[in-house]
Amino acid sequence: QVQLVESGGGLVQAGGSLRLSCAASGRSFSAYAMGWFRQAPGKEREFVAAITWSGGSTYYADSVKGRFTISRDNAKNRVYLQMNSLKPEDTAVYYCAARPYTSYGYTANEYNYWGQGTQVTVSS
């Protein structure tokens, strides 16, 4: 079992930056691949970024590639999402997710554990 708690969301102007953090508790955090997803009002939850258990490989949705960076610190049981050059269309609730495999997944149903989400609002 892994418990996940996101933080770092907020209100920012377009072009600004935010850094989301996800704190994990439970056993063997380093054995889990991690992902970030987001869900805007009236839309389905969508994949944003993922990272392998070691942090050696990452993958991004085309919509955030070059602007967002996912990273992890296994010693601190944390995963991060650095978001730069934010756009109004990035407004959503952002969720951290974990799956008990070394490789990452691209869809929500590949992840077993979820945080409660943190709101990111980008004003124009």
Side-chain angles (χ1 to χ4, degrees):
Q1 284 275 358
V2 175
Q3 293 79 44
L4 304 171
V5 178
E6 302 95 336
S7 60
L11 174 64
V12 64
Q13 289 188 335
S17 298
L18 282 174
R19 189 194 195 203
L20 304 183
S21 178
C22 175
S25 60
R27 299 191 296 177
S28 304
F29 171 73
S30 61
Y32 289 76
M34 302 296 295
W36 285 96
F37 290 75
R38 65 187 182 187
Q39 188 166 17
K43 295 187 177 181
E44 293 188 354
R45 191 168 298 190
E46 66 171 356
F47 171 80
V48 175
I51 190 166
T52 53
W53 68 278
S54 66
S57 181
T58 57
Y59 187 78
Y60 299 91
D62 288 343
S63 58
V64 307
K65 199 173 295 182
R67 300 188 298 122
F68 291 12
T69 303
I70 188 172
S71 62
R72 67 189 296 163
D73 185 338
N74 287 343
K76 295 183 179 180
N77 281 13
R78 286 185 179 266
V79 63
Y80 305 98
L81 186 68
Q82 177 66 44
M83 305 186 294
N84 299 328
S85 302
L86 283 161
K87 305 174 181 180
E89 51 264 44
D90 294 319
T91 295
V93 177
Y94 282 71
Y95 297 90
C96 172
R99 62 186 245 117
Y101 302 99
T102 57
S103 62
Y104 47 67
Y106 310 107
T107 61
N109 60 11
E110 295 179 273
Y111 288 81
N112 301 72
Y113 305 102
W114 293 83
Q116 82 290 347
T118 185
Q119 176 70 47
V120 171
T121 303
V122 184
S123 63
S124 57

PDB file of all heavy atoms in Angstrom, residues 3 8 21 24 36 42 52 54 57 71 78 88 100 108 110 115:
ATOM      1  N   GLN A   3       0.348   5.549   0.203  1.00  0.00           N
ATOM      2  CA  GLN A   3      -0.518   6.713   0.358  1.00  0.00           C
ATOM      3  C   GLN A   3       0.183   7.917  -0.268  1.00  0.00           C
ATOM      4  O   GLN A   3       1.389   8.113  -0.054  1.00  0.00           O
ATOM      5  CB  GLN A   3      -0.820   6.986   1.828  1.00  0.00           C
ATOM      6  CG  GLN A   3      -1.672   5.913   2.504  1.00  0.00           C
ATOM      7  CD  GLN A   3      -0.872   4.689   2.884  1.00  0.00           C
ATOM      8  OE1 GLN A   3       0.228   4.797   3.419  1.00  0.00           O
ATOM      9  NE2 GLN A   3      -1.419   3.510   2.594  1.00  0.00           N
ATOM     10  N   GLY A   8       1.407  22.040  -3.559  1.00  0.00           N
ATOM     11  CA  GLY A   8       2.082  22.963  -4.460  1.00  0.00           C
ATOM     12  C   GLY A   8       1.210  23.617  -5.496  1.00  0.00           C
ATOM     13  O   GLY A   8       1.684  24.473  -6.250  1.00  0.00           O
ATOM     14  N   SER A  21       4.448  18.806  -5.697  1.00  0.00           N
ATOM     15  CA  SER A  21       5.152  17.766  -4.959  1.00  0.00           C
ATOM     16  C   SER A  21       4.161  16.687  -4.551  1.00  0.00           C
ATOM     17  O   SER A  21       2.999  16.981  -4.260  1.00  0.00           O
ATOM     18  CB  SER A  21       5.811  18.370  -3.721  1.00  0.00           C
ATOM     19  OG  SER A  21       6.471  17.386  -2.959  1.00  0.00           O
ATOM     20  N   ALA A  24       4.919  10.395  -0.640  1.00  0.00           N
ATOM     21  CA  ALA A  24       4.442   9.018  -0.562  1.00  0.00           C
ATOM     22  C   ALA A  24       4.813   8.409   0.781  1.00  0.00           C
ATOM     23  O   ALA A  24       5.915   8.609   1.283  1.00  0.00           O
ATOM     24  CB  ALA A  24       5.045   8.189  -1.686  1.00  0.00           C
ATOM     25  N   TRP A  36       1.905  11.594 -13.175  1.00  0.00           N
ATOM     26  CA  TRP A  36       1.044  12.740 -12.914  1.00  0.00           C
ATOM     27  C   TRP A  36      -0.055  12.758 -13.972  1.00  0.00           C
ATOM     28  O   TRP A  36       0.216  12.580 -15.167  1.00  0.00           O
ATOM     29  CB  TRP A  36       1.816  14.048 -12.976  1.00  0.00           C
ATOM     30  CG  TRP A  36       2.702  14.313 -11.798  1.00  0.00           C
ATOM     31  CD1 TRP A  36       4.037  14.059 -11.702  1.00  0.00           C
ATOM     32  CD2 TRP A  36       2.313  14.906 -10.552  1.00  0.00           C
ATOM     33  NE1 TRP A  36       4.495  14.441 -10.471  1.00  0.00           N
ATOM     34  CE2 TRP A  36       3.467  14.968  -9.742  1.00  0.00           C
ATOM     35  CE3 TRP A  36       1.117  15.390 -10.032  1.00  0.00           C
ATOM     36  CZ2 TRP A  36       3.445  15.495  -8.442  1.00  0.00           C
ATOM     37  CZ3 TRP A  36       1.086  15.910  -8.754  1.00  0.00           C
ATOM     38  CH2 TRP A  36       2.244  15.967  -7.978  1.00  0.00           C
ATOM     39  N   GLY A  42     -15.401  18.947 -16.550  1.00  0.00           N
ATOM     40  CA  GLY A  42     -16.116  18.438 -17.711  1.00  0.00           C
ATOM     41  C   GLY A  42     -15.289  17.589 -18.648  1.00  0.00           C
ATOM     42  O   GLY A  42     -15.776  17.183 -19.710  1.00  0.00           O
ATOM     43  N   THR A  52      10.060   6.249 -14.314  1.00  0.00           N
ATOM     44  CA  THR A  52      10.314   4.890 -13.846  1.00  0.00           C
ATOM     45  C   THR A  52      10.757   4.885 -12.394  1.00  0.00           C
ATOM     46  O   THR A  52      11.029   5.928 -11.802  1.00  0.00           O
ATOM     47  CB  THR A  52      11.399   4.232 -14.708  1.00  0.00           C
ATOM     48  OG1 THR A  52      12.554   5.099 -14.727  1.00  0.00           O
ATOM     49  CG2 THR A  52      10.899   4.003 -16.123  1.00  0.00           C
ATOM     50  N   SER A  54      13.460   4.137 -10.972  1.00  0.00           N
ATOM     51  CA  SER A  54      14.794   4.668 -10.709  1.00  0.00           C
ATOM     52  C   SER A  54      14.928   6.137 -11.083  1.00  0.00           C
ATOM     53  O   SER A  54      15.920   6.779 -10.727  1.00  0.00           O
ATOM     54  CB  SER A  54      15.827   3.868 -11.507  1.00  0.00           C
ATOM     55  OG  SER A  54      15.628   4.086 -12.906  1.00  0.00           O
ATOM     56  N   SER A  57      14.141   7.070 -16.616  1.00  0.00           N
ATOM     57  CA  SER A  57      13.385   7.300 -17.851  1.00  0.00           C
ATOM     58  C   SER A  57      12.111   8.052 -17.524  1.00  0.00           C
ATOM     59  O   SER A  57      11.449   7.770 -16.522  1.00  0.00           O
ATOM     60  CB  SER A  57      13.055   5.966 -18.519  1.00  0.00           C
ATOM     61  OG  SER A  57      12.337   6.163 -19.719  1.00  0.00           O
ATOM     62  N   SER A  71      10.341  14.514 -11.849  1.00  0.00           N
ATOM     63  CA  SER A  71      11.543  13.990 -11.197  1.00  0.00           C
ATOM     64  C   SER A  71      11.125  13.306  -9.904  1.00  0.00           C
ATOM     65  O   SER A  71       9.984  13.440  -9.456  1.00  0.00           O
ATOM     66  CB  SER A  71      12.547  15.114 -10.928  1.00  0.00           C
ATOM     67  OG  SER A  71      11.996  16.074 -10.050  1.00  0.00           O
ATOM     68  N   ARG A  78       9.500  11.192  -2.550  1.00  0.00           N
ATOM     69  CA  ARG A  78       8.770  12.263  -3.205  1.00  0.00           C
ATOM     70  C   ARG A  78       8.952  12.220  -4.717  1.00  0.00           C
ATOM     71  O   ARG A  78       9.998  11.827  -5.230  1.00  0.00           O
ATOM     72  CB  ARG A  78       9.227  13.626  -2.685  1.00  0.00           C
ATOM     73  CG  ARG A  78       8.716  13.949  -1.282  1.00  0.00           C
ATOM     74  CD  ARG A  78       9.096  15.362  -0.875  1.00  0.00           C
ATOM     75  NE  ARG A  78       8.569  15.670   0.464  1.00  0.00           N
ATOM     76  CZ  ARG A  78       7.421  16.275   0.676  1.00  0.00           C
ATOM     77  NH1 ARG A  78       6.659  16.666  -0.352  1.00  0.00           N
ATOM     78  NH2 ARG A  78       7.011  16.515   1.902  1.00  0.00           N
ATOM     79  N   PRO A  88      -3.332  28.906 -19.788  1.00  0.00           N
ATOM     80  CA  PRO A  88      -4.673  28.729 -19.200  1.00  0.00           C
ATOM     81  C   PRO A  88      -5.222  27.320 -19.393  1.00  0.00           C
ATOM     82  O   PRO A  88      -5.931  26.803 -18.517  1.00  0.00           O
ATOM     83  CB  PRO A  88      -5.514  29.777 -19.941  1.00  0.00           C
ATOM     84  CG  PRO A  88      -4.537  30.859 -20.280  1.00  0.00           C
ATOM     85  CD  PRO A  88      -3.257  30.136 -20.603  1.00  0.00           C
ATOM     86  N   PRO A 100       2.820  -0.434  -8.954  1.00  0.00           N
ATOM     87  CA  PRO A 100       3.870  -1.279  -8.369  1.00  0.00           C
ATOM     88  C   PRO A 100       4.673  -2.039  -9.415  1.00  0.00           C
ATOM     89  O   PRO A 100       4.824  -3.258  -9.361  1.00  0.00           O
ATOM     90  CB  PRO A 100       3.086  -2.223  -7.462  1.00  0.00           C
ATOM     91  CG  PRO A 100       1.777  -2.377  -8.163  1.00  0.00           C
ATOM     92  CD  PRO A 100       1.493  -1.035  -8.777  1.00  0.00           C
ATOM     93  N   ALA A 108      -4.710   5.960 -16.964  1.00  0.00           N
ATOM     94  CA  ALA A 108      -5.078   5.983 -15.555  1.00  0.00           C
ATOM     95  C   ALA A 108      -5.318   4.585 -14.991  1.00  0.00           C
ATOM     96  O   ALA A 108      -4.983   4.314 -13.831  1.00  0.00           O
ATOM     97  CB  ALA A 108      -6.320   6.854 -15.368  1.00  0.00           C
ATOM     98  N   GLU A 110      -3.764   1.989 -15.411  1.00  0.00           N
ATOM     99  CA  GLU A 110      -2.525   1.266 -15.142  1.00  0.00           C
ATOM    100  C   GLU A 110      -1.938   1.603 -13.776  1.00  0.00           C
ATOM    101  O   GLU A 110      -0.926   1.029 -13.381  1.00  0.00           O
ATOM    102  CB  GLU A 110      -1.491   1.582 -16.225  1.00  0.00           C
ATOM    103  CG  GLU A 110      -1.883   1.086 -17.613  1.00  0.00           C
ATOM    104  CD  GLU A 110      -0.841   1.453 -18.650  1.00  0.00           C
ATOM    105  OE1 GLU A 110      -0.913   2.566 -19.226  1.00  0.00           O
ATOM    106  OE2 GLU A 110       0.066   0.648 -18.891  1.00  0.00           O
ATOM    107  N   GLY A 115      -3.462  10.094  -5.247  1.00  0.00           N
ATOM    108  CA  GLY A 115      -3.621  11.120  -4.248  1.00  0.00           C
ATOM    109  C   GLY A 115      -4.964  11.806  -4.399  1.00  0.00           C
ATOM    110  O   GLY A 115      -5.767  11.466  -5.272  1.00  0.00           O
TER     111      GLY A 115
END
